[in-house]
Amino acid sequence: MPAAAPHHGRLTKRTGAQAPDWRDPKRHLWLLGTIVPGLVGLSWLGVHLTGDSAFWWCGAVITFMLVPLLDHLVGADTDGLADSALAWLEDDPFYRWATYLYLPCQYLSLVFACWLWAGGGWLTMSLSDKFGLMFTVGFIGGCAINVAHQLGHTRTRSEMRLAKIALAQSCYGHFFVEHNRGHHVRVATPEDPASSRLGESLYAFIPRSVVGGTISAWRIEARRLARHGRSPWTLRNHVLNAWVMSAALFAVLVLWFGVTVLPWLLGQAIVGVCLLETVNYMEHYGLRRQKLPNGRYERVRPDHSWNSDTMVANVFLFHLQRHSDHHANPLRPYQVLRHREEAPQLPAGYGSMMLIAMIPPLWRRIMDHRVLEHYGGDIRLAGLGSRAAKAYGIRGSATGLKAD
């Protein structure tokens, strides 16, 4: 990457410290994230100009073909971040607005898609076309979950509300509770439904994570409300009010465009959730925190998450691929997440790895030996699924496996 240009004279509101002579070379690239919700308009324009209905599938093409290709051509981004830049980077409102902008674009695209599904415009859509648009809208919703992920880690109430709004499209509002107060506490342990196990296929993981995460989120909120002497059946329940928000959104869209849009709305929500859970599957595959003599798990370290520092995907996903630093420092905003040398590295970016995860034998061929190498060949230290435990001659439960 080119040498960083100096950045002069700005003071942070939070600390009053002067900005160092350093500039974030990716500062304005973060605005590229708003291109993602524009895919509905891009699809429509492509079909209108060329007559080629393949443009309705541009979400899948960009995610699984174009971004991996650009990642390969551009390469990795492992440049260090100056310690002196941390305070003013965290305080700079530009980075927050880069995520805020996603939401209006997200919902404009959803309304536009509903208009198209309902027969709006002068383009006749076949069933295949509508499925293509459904997948494209689902990818937008899946990326919106990532935006909610960034907003949900703040302590600012307004950003927490925005996180719930971003999640409403995918009907995944409980993620707001489970990710922050469940996953981050239990990550890389057998108790975490969002941490995949060595030998576990993506198709076994997704239902386990969805069901387990939903139950966990409800229990977390029920316990919180019980401490205040309240029933969980109240709109003060963050899980319940998030689900009500999704139901209200879908009801408004159905009343506006007709019941014909309901199957497509449900379909795009499923696509968005599956996209998110596929990312969850990759981020902690086979990794395990060890139990200490006192029965508690060791502290979360960067080596409990898989990293990928491909430049292009990281920009579009707000550094989601720097997952190791995120778990080690969960309140650190995306713009200051760092490359961690000690973290295990995925062999490619998320777009490529998601495709590989969809083919379990290929995934295991590429990833299982990396897990073993990470633990120095000691399979007992890895997070094992039942299939892997049987293959390696280890018996017992997922929480207490023993070598034969």
Side-chain angles (χ1 to χ4, degrees), residues 14-15 35 56 65 84 100 163 200 226 252 261-262 278 346-347 356 381 391:
R14 178 167 58 86
T15 65
I35 291 176
W56 296 120
M65 296 178 65
S84 58
Y100 297 168
E200 182 178 29
V252 168
V261 302
L262 183 58
T278 301
L346 292 173
I356 293 170
L381 298 178

Short mmCIF file of all heavy atoms in Angstrom, two decimals, residues 14-15 35 56 65 84 100 163 200 226 252 261-262 278 346-347 356 381 391:
data_model
loop_
_atom_site.label_atom_id
_atom_site.label_comp_id
_atom_site.label_asym_id
_atom_site.label_seq_id
_atom_site.Cartn_x
_atom_site.Cartn_y
_atom_site.Cartn_z
N ARG A 14 -13.30 13.52 22.63
CA ARG A 14 -13.33 12.74 23.85
C ARG A 14 -12.09 13.00 24.72
O ARG A 14 -12.17 13.09 25.92
CB ARG A 14 -13.41 11.24 23.51
CG ARG A 14 -13.40 10.31 24.71
CD ARG A 14 -13.81 8.91 24.27
NE ARG A 14 -12.94 8.41 23.24
CZ ARG A 14 -11.78 7.79 23.49
NH1 ARG A 14 -11.37 7.64 24.73
NH2 ARG A 14 -11.05 7.33 22.51
N THR A 15 -10.94 13.12 24.08
CA THR A 15 -9.70 13.25 24.85
C THR A 15 -9.04 14.60 24.72
O THR A 15 -8.21 14.97 25.53
CB THR A 15 -8.68 12.18 24.38
OG1 THR A 15 -8.33 12.46 23.03
CG2 THR A 15 -9.27 10.78 24.48
N ILE A 35 -22.39 0.65 -1.05
CA ILE A 35 -22.67 0.10 -2.37
C ILE A 35 -23.51 -1.17 -2.26
O ILE A 35 -24.35 -1.46 -3.13
CB ILE A 35 -21.35 -0.20 -3.11
CG1 ILE A 35 -20.64 1.10 -3.47
CG2 ILE A 35 -21.60 -1.03 -4.37
CD1 ILE A 35 -19.28 0.90 -4.12
N TRP A 56 -30.25 -10.07 -11.97
CA TRP A 56 -30.98 -10.22 -10.71
C TRP A 56 -30.17 -11.02 -9.70
O TRP A 56 -30.40 -10.92 -8.49
CB TRP A 56 -32.33 -10.91 -10.95
CG TRP A 56 -33.30 -10.13 -11.79
CD1 TRP A 56 -33.85 -10.53 -12.98
CD2 TRP A 56 -33.84 -8.83 -11.52
NE1 TRP A 56 -34.70 -9.57 -13.46
CE2 TRP A 56 -34.72 -8.51 -12.59
CE3 TRP A 56 -33.67 -7.91 -10.49
CZ2 TRP A 56 -35.42 -7.30 -12.64
CZ3 TRP A 56 -34.38 -6.71 -10.54
CH2 TRP A 56 -35.23 -6.42 -11.60
N MET A 65 -17.84 -14.37 -6.45
CA MET A 65 -16.92 -14.34 -7.59
C MET A 65 -16.10 -13.05 -7.64
O MET A 65 -14.87 -13.10 -7.63
CB MET A 65 -17.71 -14.52 -8.90
CG MET A 65 -18.40 -15.88 -9.02
SD MET A 65 -19.38 -16.06 -10.53
CE MET A 65 -18.11 -15.98 -11.77
N SER A 84 -0.34 5.86 18.56
CA SER A 84 -0.70 7.26 18.78
C SER A 84 -1.98 7.65 18.05
O SER A 84 -2.56 8.71 18.34
CB SER A 84 0.45 8.17 18.32
OG SER A 84 0.74 7.95 16.95
N TYR A 100 -23.82 4.31 9.76
CA TYR A 100 -25.19 4.83 9.78
C TYR A 100 -25.79 4.89 8.38
O TYR A 100 -26.98 4.61 8.18
CB TYR A 100 -25.23 6.26 10.34
CG TYR A 100 -24.80 6.43 11.77
CD1 TYR A 100 -24.56 7.70 12.28
CD2 TYR A 100 -24.63 5.35 12.63
CE1 TYR A 100 -24.16 7.90 13.60
CE2 TYR A 100 -24.22 5.53 13.94
CZ TYR A 100 -23.99 6.81 14.42
OH TYR A 100 -23.59 6.99 15.71
N ALA A 163 -28.93 -0.66 15.65
CA ALA A 163 -28.59 -2.07 15.45
C ALA A 163 -29.85 -2.91 15.31
O ALA A 163 -29.95 -3.78 14.44
CB ALA A 163 -27.74 -2.56 16.62
N GLU A 200 -17.67 -30.83 12.19
CA GLU A 200 -19.09 -30.49 12.05
C GLU A 200 -19.32 -29.82 10.71
O GLU A 200 -18.61 -28.89 10.33
CB GLU A 200 -19.51 -29.55 13.19
CG GLU A 200 -20.98 -29.17 13.18
CD GLU A 200 -21.34 -28.27 14.36
OE1 GLU A 200 -20.46 -27.51 14.83
OE2 GLU A 200 -22.50 -28.33 14.80
N ALA A 226 -35.94 -10.78 35.26
CA ALA A 226 -36.30 -11.38 36.55
C ALA A 226 -35.58 -10.68 37.70
O ALA A 226 -36.14 -10.54 38.80
CB ALA A 226 -35.97 -12.87 36.55
N VAL A 252 -46.31 -3.93 7.40
CA VAL A 252 -46.41 -2.69 6.61
C VAL A 252 -46.13 -2.96 5.14
O VAL A 252 -46.85 -2.48 4.25
CB VAL A 252 -45.45 -1.62 7.17
CG1 VAL A 252 -45.33 -0.45 6.20
CG2 VAL A 252 -45.93 -1.12 8.52
N VAL A 261 -45.73 -10.33 -1.73
CA VAL A 261 -44.33 -10.10 -1.37
C VAL A 261 -43.91 -10.90 -0.14
O VAL A 261 -42.70 -11.02 0.13
CB VAL A 261 -44.04 -8.60 -1.11
CG1 VAL A 261 -44.38 -7.77 -2.34
CG2 VAL A 261 -44.76 -8.09 0.12
N LEU A 262 -44.87 -11.47 0.60
CA LEU A 262 -44.53 -12.13 1.86
C LEU A 262 -43.57 -13.31 1.68
O LEU A 262 -42.58 -13.42 2.43
CB LEU A 262 -45.80 -12.59 2.59
CG LEU A 262 -45.58 -13.23 3.96
CD1 LEU A 262 -44.84 -12.28 4.89
CD2 LEU A 262 -46.91 -13.66 4.57
N THR A 278 -23.10 -18.77 8.27
CA THR A 278 -21.96 -19.34 7.56
C THR A 278 -20.67 -18.64 7.98
O THR A 278 -19.62 -19.27 8.16
CB THR A 278 -22.15 -19.23 6.03
OG1 THR A 278 -23.35 -19.92 5.66
CG2 THR A 278 -20.97 -19.85 5.29
N LEU A 346 -7.17 -17.89 8.00
CA LEU A 346 -7.88 -18.60 6.94
C LEU A 346 -7.07 -18.48 5.65
O LEU A 346 -6.39 -17.47 5.43
CB LEU A 346 -9.27 -17.99 6.73
CG LEU A 346 -10.28 -18.20 7.85
CD1 LEU A 346 -11.56 -17.39 7.58
CD2 LEU A 346 -10.64 -19.67 8.02
N PRO A 347 -7.14 -19.48 4.79
CA PRO A 347 -6.33 -19.42 3.57
C PRO A 347 -6.84 -18.46 2.52
O PRO A 347 -6.17 -18.21 1.52
CB PRO A 347 -6.37 -20.87 3.06
CG PRO A 347 -7.63 -21.43 3.63
CD PRO A 347 -7.81 -20.78 4.96
N ILE A 356 -16.42 -22.69 -0.07
CA ILE A 356 -15.77 -23.94 0.34
C ILE A 356 -16.56 -24.60 1.47
O ILE A 356 -16.72 -25.82 1.49
CB ILE A 356 -14.32 -23.65 0.77
CG1 ILE A 356 -13.50 -23.21 -0.45
CG2 ILE A 356 -13.69 -24.87 1.43
CD1 ILE A 356 -12.13 -22.69 -0.11
N LEU A 381 -6.96 -30.82 22.31
CA LEU A 381 -7.09 -29.39 22.60
C LEU A 381 -8.10 -28.70 21.70
O LEU A 381 -8.51 -27.57 21.96
CB LEU A 381 -5.73 -28.69 22.46
CG LEU A 381 -4.63 -29.16 23.40
CD1 LEU A 381 -3.33 -28.41 23.10
CD2 LEU A 381 -5.04 -28.97 24.86
N ALA A 391 -13.67 -40.33 14.73
CA ALA A 391 -12.60 -40.58 13.77
C ALA A 391 -11.24 -40.65 14.44
O ALA A 391 -10.36 -41.41 14.03
CB ALA A 391 -12.61 -39.49 12.69
#
